[in-house]
Amino acid sequence: MSEPIAVIEPAGPQGMVSLRADLSDRAVAQAVTAATGCAMPGPRRIVAAGGKAVAWMSPDELLLLVPHAEAPGVAAGLAEALAGTHHLATEVSDARAMFTIRGPGADDVVAKLCPVDVERLPEGEIRRTRAAQVAAALWRSGEGEISLVAFRSVAGYVERLLEVAAEGPRL
Amino acid sequence: MSTRLAQGGRLIDRQKPLRFTFNGLPMEGYEGDTMAAALLANDRMLVGRSFKYHRPRGIVASGAEEPNALVGLGEGARFEPNQRVTTTELFDGASAISQNHWPSLDFDIGAINARLARFLPAGFYYKMFIHPRPFWKHVYEPFIRQSAGLGRAPKDRDPDRYEQAYGFCDVAVVGGGVAGLAAALAAGRAGKRVWLMEQAAHWGGRAVVDGVTVDGAAAEDWVAAALAELGGMANVRVKARTMAAGLYDHGYLLAYERIADHTPGDGRPRHRLWRIRAGQVIAATGAIERPLAFAGNDVPGVMLASAVRDYAVNWAVSPGDRTVIVTNNDDAYRTALALADAGLVVPAVVDARACVTGALPQAVRDRGIRVLEGRGIAKVKGGKRVTGVAICAQAGEGSVLEEIGCDAVAMSGGWSPVVHLWSHCGGKLAWDEAGAMFRPDPARPPTGADGAAMVVAAGAANGHLQAADCLADAHAAGGGTGAAPTAVTEAEAPLEPVWIMPQGAGPALRAKMWLDYQNDVKVSDVQLAAREGYESVEHTKRYTTLGMATDQGKLSNINGLAVLSEALHQPIPATGTTTFRPPYTPISLAAIAGEAKGELFQPLRRTPMHDWHEAHGAYWEPVGHWRRPYCYQRSGEGIEDAVRREVRNTRNGLGLLDASTLGKIVVKGPDAGRFLDMLYTNMMSTLPVGKCRYGLMCNEQGFLSDDGVVARLSDDTWLCHTTSGGADRIHGWMEDWLQCEWWDWKVYTANLTEQFAQVAVVGPKARAVLEKLGGDIDLSAAALPFMHWAEGTLGGISARVFRISFSGELSYEIAVPAGQGRAFWEQLIAAGEDFGVMPYGTEALHIMRAEKGFIMIGDETDGTVIPQDLGLDWAISKKKADFLGKRGMERTHMTDPNRWKLVGLETPDGSVIPDGAYVPATGVNANGQKNTQGRVTSTYHSPTLDRGIAMALVLNGPDRMGEVLDIPGIDGKVYRAKIVSPVFYDPEGEKQNV
Amino acid sequence: MLILTCPCCGVAAEETELQPGGEAHLKRFGPGSSDDAFEAYMFARANPKGVHFERWRHAYGCGKWFLAARCTATLEVFGTYSAQTKEPPAEIVTKIRAKRPDWAGWSA
Ligand SMILES: [Zn+2]
């Protein structure tokens, strides 16, 4: 067997809050920044600051990444801050599983599973796509590192998928 | 005799001998050999038998176009049939066996078919196996099955790894000859993101073999320099052993990389299937030499002239000591020169052209080689190997003028551009009269997403057979600026199309002229097809099987359609070509599967309690991609016993069900109530906060599509439960209406199915066990009545408790964060010990709901059932002006009073009616089938009642209570059943309302 | 295999990331509509060889529905646009007219 080209690690519990709202509404931007310290991301962008991050998921949906224990509070806080504004804030931490793909072949792992031009994926962009047969979202989370989020129920499938794709050699 | 020459061989390394076996015989080759080269070096020309007549078959070509030399390669789990030896790189320890013969390659009983050839003409199968009809099953089909199939299928599990990968580029250049290299250089220098791929392990195509001079250097050196330059460009990816299999819509190019075919077991993936998106494809795929149709052209030792040259130059292999060359063009003279250079004998060049004056023929004459003008081959002599040729006038009928002894024949009928990639997506071809070939018509290219051409053909693939034109064309195709690489070659005189040799050959000779070597299609077969009225080339192909073998007619198609055109007395372009379909050469099924095998064949969805179930005897049932426990088997217990135990224990004590797979969708907003009123057949906007309501969803036709309990969480928020398989579908359905129809309504949805684990705590002891867990929720009947919900903590875990029941028992469904689902479940198991708690599976769930007469989506519904059929009229609002499905239900067929409606069925003897049984009626329908008046939708043995129960849709069923029906089962028995209410157990609902 | 650019998020998504949704710009007929109108809404589809307007959902992506104008014969894509519209945008109609002069034009 060839050397793995990247190390696959489950990222452990990750707090996540889904917020659906009119993203052009200033009240929404203020509430998001207050909750995370992050500026509002533009389309397909992910903005990180101080261990938290905000990802643009669709024209009316954000995903807030916060420490796991803080997620229920962040969801409740958003609901409170946006009372009177049409929105839906829900905690989704336990609905998802997150993995890091680290190493020189991290891009190759993605290229084997996702119909995405990963070579051209800029830092700060989140790409929602398909990893083999399931939905996934991925972004560059550090030097030589890609983070990938999938649904919880298929975490075992995705982990094995990533491990198999990480079997060498490089593409 | 074919043999290894003492000197030369640009691709082999004589310092690195490799051992291999053919049919068990040990043989030796060199690194750089193809298996074909090594077999020839070991004097193995006969390598297989043809499909229909089991004729001896030798190596004909040197590349992907090879029709004959297919072997079974490898052993044990790595055995693979139908591998082309011409594209198989030799490796140490390789083993090959020949195919399609019995008992041996050299002596084959099936060859008797060849003696019967005149009884096995084109269309034989169609004609023979039609009558008499009863013979089909017992005589013909077994006969065809026995003789069908080429090679034998591997039996063991493939031990190798295969993968796929996605690639993206501006320009994909296909073909590693000088044209492909020139195009890639041009595009790469222009800064384009380029992929260059070559199907073989080596580069340079024909130019390096033919001794072309490029930019003043030997082609060999120019190729090396080009590869070095391309290798140094960060924007260029260079891939050898990578075959562009097919081009599809919008520049989607499938490429097949054979990574480890020549290094088996080295841990690398064996094949990789690239799914490339190319802005533009440059097809520099070269051209393939055509055979000539003369009698006996299939005898081993008759080869393509270019292949003979390849074997001599690339691998220092001589296919024969004395090689007669037969041609209609100048290019084949290069083969004469190459053989003469190698010290081999060319007794004659037989040229069909009456007057041969070009520079290449002159060079051949200068070597003292005879050039016979206006001549053809009347007949090849020999059986398993060429022993000589009989020469005739091409213009005549085949009278023999002289015989020449030889052990090989090198033939050339001209060249056909490889236009597959151009044609896969609809690029059209034009007939080139001068070159006697189809070439891409630049006015009718295949087009991409923007409507512009997505393929450019370059070089020989574009009909430019001379190196200088070829390079200029490729340079331009790559968008090159400045001067194109220049090439110097001998000038060539025009070829003269020759489709039959000699042109006046009679039936006896035509019946020995092979067009398709693998499928045994001869000139006479195509002519017969034409006589029998097959005018379309596509029909002729299927009738004669011309071009339907594994080589897909790379050598035979053009010759075949030329023969057909002559027989139909029409020009070749009027006949046209058959359709070019991917893949260009066969690719492995394993590469198509990629990683999707074994545990990764399909995603497996696991609930948070999955591992607990696994550890406690779960007998799994697939539900969509989920796995749910069907039951939990105890040691020594049968499945049916386990199910009965689980039902009884739940009815009498306490059962736990993992209900996490149920869909959970939150719907929120000022218009959420209005929206849900449109989605559900009943009213959801009036549901008070804190309460639950069962609801039905229909499609626009009125057919029931999903059901579930809706809870109102707050003034503007509802939680909709869907069926286990339905969460994504229903969430998508909601979003569809919100985004595409009612986009001004203020509603947001979120699919929270996986955020929560859900446990149904069911049975008379349900309240007791929850109270024992402890928490801040008042679970009393007064505080939390049936169809209410509450939230708080249970056992220290935040929980939402729904008092709903799908079993008819006292029942709570509790949602907790998925991350704590397993802990919560284990707390319940521990706390429930005193109450005799047992988990139960989906079968117990189904039985208990059927005992209560509750419908199940997918059992009682099949996409043609409206709620009214199921007696669910109470759940259809009469107040609402509109909801999805309302108009559909108003159609006359839906309002017909005579519909199949839900009833229960009771067998007097307690037996269980077979699943899916139909209730017959009198008479027959238009197709002569028995009329029916109903069908069984659910049927179980009820452990609670200890007898069979069933639900069925029966014509006017509810009006026929007490009537007894005879229901034939597929087991041959007839079951008597009385129509009863579908509610078999606790019709007053006393058990759940405590 | 098609590539369509999702107008909602800008991703050029390939067909496996998308879910097809049939003909676009259908007008819903509900209660009170005639049998003919309802039948046409439920079952009658244009299915032309040539210019066609379709619904697609960026299912493995932003999850949004969008509409595409496409030639069913050549697979040329004239444009993609918002699903929140009752007819094709003027600039797409203009582009189609330029590329397909024989096109009969869009009608509801
Ligand atoms: Zn999108």
Side-chain angles (χ1 to χ4, degrees), chain B residues 609 659-660 662 664 719 721 752-753 755-761 770 777 789-794 797-804 812-818 820-821 824 828:
Chain B
M609 291 81 100
S660 305
L662 280 184
K664 308 161 200 84
L719 174 64
H721 288 108
L752 299 182
T753 301
Q755 171 65 17
F756 298 102
Q758 194 137 322
V759 183
V761 182
L770 293 177
I777 307 172
W789 66 273
E791 61 188 339
T793 59
L794 267 177
I797 294 172
S798 71
R800 199 177 270 149
V801 182
F802 305 91
R803 181 129 180 243
I804 53 183
Y812 300 85
E813 288 200 15
I814 300 149
V816 299
Q820 297 177 79
F824 183 67
L828 283 167

Side-chain angles (χ1 to χ4, degrees), chain C residues 25 53 67 69 81 85-93 96 103 106:
Chain C
H25 303 302
F53 300 91
L67 306 182
Y81 54 98
T85 178
K86 296 209 180 284
E87 56 186 55
E91 68 268 21
I92 285 184
V93 169
I96 299 171
W103 178 48
W106 185 81

Side-chain angles (χ1 to χ4, degrees), chain B residues 914-928:
Chain B
D915 204 1
Y918 272 78
V919 186
T922 53
V924 293
N925 67 15
N927 294 321

Side-chain angles (χ1 to χ4, degrees), chain B residues 614-888:
Chain B
E614 181 84 50
H616 290 81
Y619 175 78
W620 294 106
E621 176 186 37
V623 179
H625 284 163
W626 293 104
R627 287 286 181 283
R628 300 189 70 185
Y630 179 90
C631 64
Y632 300 79
Q633 258 179 298
R634 296 182 167 178
S635 64
E637 190 180 45
I639 299 221
E640 283 183 11
D641 296 334
V643 170
R644 284 171 201 183
R645 170 179 53 73
E646 289 170 8
V647 170
R648 291 199 184 104
N649 189 69
T650 304
R651 289 255 185 257
N652 298 319
L654 181 60
L656 295 183
L657 176 80
D658 179 357
S660 305
T661 57
L662 280 184
K664 308 161 200 84
I665 301 169
V666 168
V667 179
K668 178 174 185 278
D671 293 314
R674 175 190 183 194
F675 174 61
L676 293 178
D677 282 349
M678 284 302 294
L679 240 63
Y680 287 92
T681 60
N682 46 349
M683 199 78 96
M684 288 301 170
S685 57
T686 57
L687 178 67
V689 174
K691 289 196 71 171
C692 302
R693 184 171 287 167
Y694 175 71
L696 306 174
M697 281 193 218
C698 293
N699 61 22
E700 278 277 71
Q701 296 202 51
F703 296 133
L704 191 51
S705 113
D706 208 78
D707 69 348
V709 170
V710 177
R712 188 161 188 177
L713 300 184
S714 71
D715 192 42
D716 68 349
T717 312
W718 282 254
L719 174 64
C720 303
H721 288 108
T722 75
T723 55
S724 284
D728 290 334
R729 180 173 53 88
I730 296 301
H731 184 234
W733 175 245
M734 290 177 171
E735 283 293 324
D736 192 350
W737 287 101
L738 288 171
Q739 292 176 32
C740 302
E741 188 71 23
W742 304 309
W743 59 75
D744 50 338
W745 294 13
K746 287 186 180 314
V747 181
Y748 287 127
T749 69
N751 183 355
L752 299 182
T753 301
E754 302 210 8
Q755 171 65 17
F756 298 102
Q758 194 137 322
V759 183
V761 182
V762 182
K765 305 284 169 54
R767 184 177 291 125
V769 73
L770 293 177
E771 282 170 345
K772 188 175 166 191
L773 278 191
D776 56 5
I777 307 172
D778 185 345
L779 299 161
S780 66
L784 186 58
F786 186 55
M787 295 307 270
H788 283 64
W789 66 273
E791 61 188 339
T793 59
L794 267 177
I797 294 172
S798 71
R800 199 177 270 149
V801 182
F802 305 91
R803 181 129 180 243
I804 53 183
S805 179
F806 198 40
S807 57
E809 296 301 325
L810 172 64
S811 164
Y812 300 85
E813 288 200 15
I814 300 149
V816 299
Q820 297 177 79
R822 169 94 188 244
F824 183 67
W825 176 271
E826 286 181 345
Q827 278 198 52
L828 283 167
I829 292 285
E833 204 172 327
D834 296 346
F835 307 107
V837 68
M838 288 180 195
Y840 67 93
T842 51
E843 187 64 0
L845 160 86
H846 280 109
I847 291 173
M848 288 190 280
R849 68 91 194 166
E851 288 172 342
K852 281 291 292 179
F854 295 145
I855 63 124
M856 178 68 88
I857 299 292
D859 286 340
E860 276 63 46
T861 70
D862 65 356
T864 67
V865 171
I866 55 176
Q868 292 88 336
D869 296 338
L870 303 177
L872 295 169
D873 307 68
W874 58 268
I876 301 166
S877 167
K878 297 193 175 48
K879 288 187 215 150
K880 293 194 288 189
D882 192 5
F883 59 83
L884 298 181
K886 182 177 169 75
R887 177 64 184 83

Side-chain angles (χ1 to χ4, degrees), chain B residues 249-250 252 277 449-451 678 700-701 732 736-737 739-741 743 881-884 886-888 891, chain C residues 1-3 14 28 30-31 33-35 38 41-43 55 57 63-65 75-77 84-85 99:
Chain B
D249 316 328
H250 291 188
Y252 182 59
R277 283 292 176 173
D450 57 358
M678 284 302 294
E700 278 277 71
Q701 296 202 51
D736 192 350
W737 287 101
Q739 292 176 32
C740 302
E741 188 71 23
W743 59 75
D882 192 5
F883 59 83
L884 298 181
K886 182 177 169 75
R887 177 64 184 83
R891 289 179 293 172
Chain C
M1 186 166 52
L2 306 183
I3 291 184
E14 69 160 44
R28 178 173 182 259
S33 58
S34 69
D35 281 352
F38 183 71
Y41 159 59
M42 282 310 299
F43 305 113
R55 290 157 25 90
R57 186 184 185 206
K64 296 302 183 197
W65 284 95
L75 310 188
E76 179 174 358
V77 178
Q84 287 89 52
T85 178
K99 294 205 161 202

Side-chain angles (χ1 to χ4, degrees), chain C residues 6 9 58 62:
Chain C
C6 172
C9 69
H58 192 188
C62 72

